[in-house]
């Protein structure tokens, strides 16, 4: 049995700070707004939606106590709708989609919602703590370093310069600005409105069309002090003794932006689509995860993608468009070099450096982005992949119908 994507919608991404446009919207409200839009767009018979899987990384405060079920309860879909909230770090939104696809393919459910949310302006990253970083016995065994140090370690190990990273970041901004100018996100964006119906945000707030290489060049490395004074450079070099130092190339302009946002995909089997009178937009062909060294940690997209391609009986040239989360510039640069794919088919409408990375939601957002672009270009196959904290990668291949 196949798992089909009937639609995928998202909120705009709002800057993840107290000045961001979405600071007044809780995670629950962001998710419910997308649920409302799916129901209204398709006259969706909500009694057919059996379960919702929602990715969310920092599950405390507004996002605690199973925010997925909280949103389901507030949505008006009905008391029958169950929900679960999961955390695979930055891969959570894609993991939710993949798990829903597995339920559908197994025949356990017919129709589900899957996606994610993160309100980073209201619930700060790291608020939940966790042994992976906070327990010395765990951190020492894993050679723990913060993700920014890992990104700089990738750059040092594989020879990416500050200029390489800044050039990639500039391209992300330029592509995102062009995409918004050409209104390529219109189909999937759900404008955010307040309780009185007034428009709050209808675009991705972080895009900076005025970005220049000169401006990026003036930004100070974000992780140098942490690495040198905090001792994390020494931890990384202990793990990779062939390196004499860590070259700190990442800064606010070539790393993913902190933002708020939510996204959902409607996933079901063929029979339920016929019952609803809806045609599926794509088929989820295969999914994969992989583990990597937890110190360098962010190199998982290429091996996860290879695993997914192998499972699907495909090769890299069978994929028309790739979406790799731009957690840091070096992550995407390493992915393209490792897998051997050209930047011309990777993140063609920009990525998280320009648009932002709402942790738990990003994976599902990328599913919608690549699906929309496949349709716009009349292409067939897309691969979505993300690096994940702690040393993991995740990938999903979809096939347009």
């Amino acid at each position: 049995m196949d798992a089909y994507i009937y639609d995928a919608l998202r909120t705009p991404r709002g800057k993840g700070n107290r000045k961001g446009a979405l600071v007044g919207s809780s995670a629950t409200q962001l998710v419910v707004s997308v649920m409302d839009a799916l129901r209204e767009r398709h006259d969706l018979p909500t009694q057919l939606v059996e379960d919702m899987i929602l990715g969310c990384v920092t599950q405390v405060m507004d996002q605690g106590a199973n925010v997925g079920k909280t949103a389901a309860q507030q949505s008006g879909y009905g008391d029958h709708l169950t929900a679960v909230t999961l955390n695979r770090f930055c891969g959570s939104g894609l993991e939710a989609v993949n798990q829903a696809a597995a339920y559908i393919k197994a025949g356990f459910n017919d129709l589900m919602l899957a996606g994610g949310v993160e309100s980073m302006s209201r619930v700060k990253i790291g608020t939940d703590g966790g042994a992976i970083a906070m327990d010395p016995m765990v951190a020492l065994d894993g050679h723990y370093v913060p993700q920014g140090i890992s990104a700089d370690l990738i750059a040092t190990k594989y020879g990416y310069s500050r200029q390489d990273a800044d050039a990639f970041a500039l391209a992300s901004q330029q592509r995102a600005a062009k995409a918004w100018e050409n209104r390529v996100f219109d189909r999937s964006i759900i404008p955010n409105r307040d309780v009185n119906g007034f428009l709050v945000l209808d675009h991705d707030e972080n895009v900076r069309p005025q970005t220049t290489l000169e401006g990026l060049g003036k930004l100070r490395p974000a992780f140098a002090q942490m690495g040198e004074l905090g001792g994390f450079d020494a931890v990384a070099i202990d793990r990779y003794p062939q390196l004499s130092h860590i070259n700190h190339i990442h800064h606010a302009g070539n790393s993913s932006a902190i933002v708020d946002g939510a996204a959902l995909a409607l996933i079901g089997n063929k029979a339920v689509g016929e019952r609803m009178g809806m045609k599926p937009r794509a088929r989820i062909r295969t999914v994969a995860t992989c583990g990597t060294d937890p110190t360098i940690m962010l190199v998982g997209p290429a091996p996860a993608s290879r695993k997914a391609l192998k499972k699907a009986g495909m090769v890299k040239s069978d994929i028309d468009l790739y979406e790799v989360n731009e957690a840091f510039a070096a992550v995407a640069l390493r992915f393209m070099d490792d897998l051997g794919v050209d930047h011309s088919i990777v993140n063609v409408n920009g990525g998280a450096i320009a648009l932002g990375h709402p942790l738990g939601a990003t994976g599902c957002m990328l599913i919608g982005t690549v699906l929309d672009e496949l349709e716009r270009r009349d292409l067939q196959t897309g691969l979505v992949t993300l690096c994940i904290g702690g040393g993991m990668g995740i990938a999903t291949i979809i096939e347009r119908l």
Side-chain angles (χ1 to χ4, degrees):
M1 185 179 297
D2 284 324
Y4 296 99
I5 301 172
Y6 284 91
D7 207 356
L9 302 179
R10 70 173 178 93
T11 67
R13 296 170 171 98
K15 290 182 179 180
N17 56 49
R18 289 297 174 182
K19 295 181 180 179
L22 298 184
V23 68
S25 298
S26 69
T28 297
Q29 291 168 322
L30 293 174
V31 176
V32 170
S33 70
V34 184
M35 297 177 75
D36 288 345
L38 281 167
R39 175 174 52 197
E40 293 163 8
R41 177 173 290 192
H42 301 291
D43 194 19
L44 185 66
T46 58
Q47 72 275 11
L48 298 181
V49 183
E50 298 163 89
D51 196 6
M52 178 166 67
I53 304 178
L54 197 70
C56 182
V57 174
T58 311
Q59 296 182 33
V60 295
M61 299 162 59
D62 284 355
Q63 298 178 163
N66 191 358
V67 65
K69 177 54 183 171
T70 306
Q73 181 174 297
Q74 292 295 108
S75 68
Y77 270 50
D79 292 341
H80 72 284
L81 181 58
T82 57
V84 63
T85 306
L86 61 80
N87 180 8
R88 197 190 281 277
F89 295 153
C90 296
S92 298
L94 192 59
E95 176 66 21
V97 170
N98 293 353
Q99 287 195 20
Y103 270 96
I104 301 300
K105 288 178 72 68
F108 295 144
N109 282 333
D110 297 324
L111 188 65
M112 299 179 66
L113 290 171
V117 66
E118 209 78 35
S119 177
M120 301 182 76
S121 63
R122 297 166 67 100
V123 184
K124 302 299 183 185
I125 184 172
T127 305
D128 54 343
I132 195 169
M134 304 304 292
D135 184 336
M137 298 304 294
V138 176
L140 284 169
D141 285 346
H143 276 75
Y144 169 81
V145 297
Q147 288 194 12
I149 303 296
S150 173
D152 286 339
L153 173 58
I154 293 171
T156 307
K157 186 174 189 294
Y158 295 105
Y160 300 117
S161 68
R162 169 72 180 259
Q163 291 72 29
D164 294 331
D166 285 356
F168 181 86
L170 177 63
S172 182
Q173 291 286 355
Q174 291 173 335
R175 290 179 176 191
K178 183 178 179 181
W180 270 106
E181 182 182 347
N182 293 334
R183 306 181 68 87
V184 302
F185 299 126
D186 279 5
R187 174 170 183 169
S188 296
I189 289 282
I190 305 305
N192 182 267
R193 299 182 182 277
D194 64 18
V195 294
N196 297 309
F198 292 109
L199 180 66
V200 174
L201 185 67
D202 62 357
H203 62 280
D204 292 317
E205 194 176 16
N206 190 71
V207 180
R208 300 183 293 274
Q210 72 279 9
T211 301
T212 64
L213 281 177
E214 292 74 19
L216 291 172
K218 295 176 182 178
L219 297 176
R220 297 178 62 181
F223 308 105
Q225 185 174 18
M226 178 190 297
E228 294 162 9
L229 300 182
F232 290 112
D233 282 2
V235 175
I237 291 170
D238 183 61
R239 187 76 167 190
Y240 291 89
Q242 69 271 32
L243 303 177
S244 62
H245 70 286
I246 303 298
N247 185 19
H248 292 286
I249 71 165
H250 289 96
H251 52 75
N254 59 26
S255 306
S256 56
I258 293 173
V259 296
D260 303 335
L264 289 171
L266 184 64
I267 300 172
N269 59 27
K270 184 177 181 180
V272 78
E274 292 172 347
R275 184 176 175 183
M276 296 186 298
M278 290 177 62
K279 292 183 178 180
R281 296 175 63 190
R283 175 169 68 104
I284 297 175
R285 185 150 176 178
T286 194
V287 307
T289 58
C290 74
T292 70
D293 165 45
T295 303
I296 204 164
M297 109 173 55
L298 304 178
V299 293
S305 297
R306 286 195 187 92
K307 185 177 178 181
L309 288 166
K310 183 177 180 180
K311 285 181 174 291
M314 303 171 75
V315 295
K316 64 184 181 183
S317 58
D318 291 327
I319 302 298
D320 294 314
L321 294 175
Y322 290 84
E323 287 288 331
V324 55
N325 186 39
E326 295 172 1
F328 301 90
V331 172
L333 291 169
R334 182 58 193 153
F335 169 79
M336 292 187 291
D337 286 346
D338 193 355
L339 202 64
V341 295
D342 192 79
H343 194 188
S344 63
I345 57 171
V346 177
N347 299 359
V348 296
N349 292 316
I353 289 172
L355 299 166
H357 175 26
L359 307 179
T362 304
C364 184
M365 286 187 173
L366 296 184
I367 286 285
T369 296
V370 78
L371 177 53
D372 286 350
E373 192 63 20
L374 288 172
E375 291 175 343
R376 198 170 76 92
R377 298 188 181 205
D378 194 22
L379 297 174
Q380 198 71 22
T381 55
L383 187 150
V384 172
T385 184
L386 298 92
C387 62
I388 304 174
M392 294 183 282
I394 188 169
T396 303
I397 297 174
I398 69 168
E399 183 177 41
R400 179 177 155 237
L401 299 176

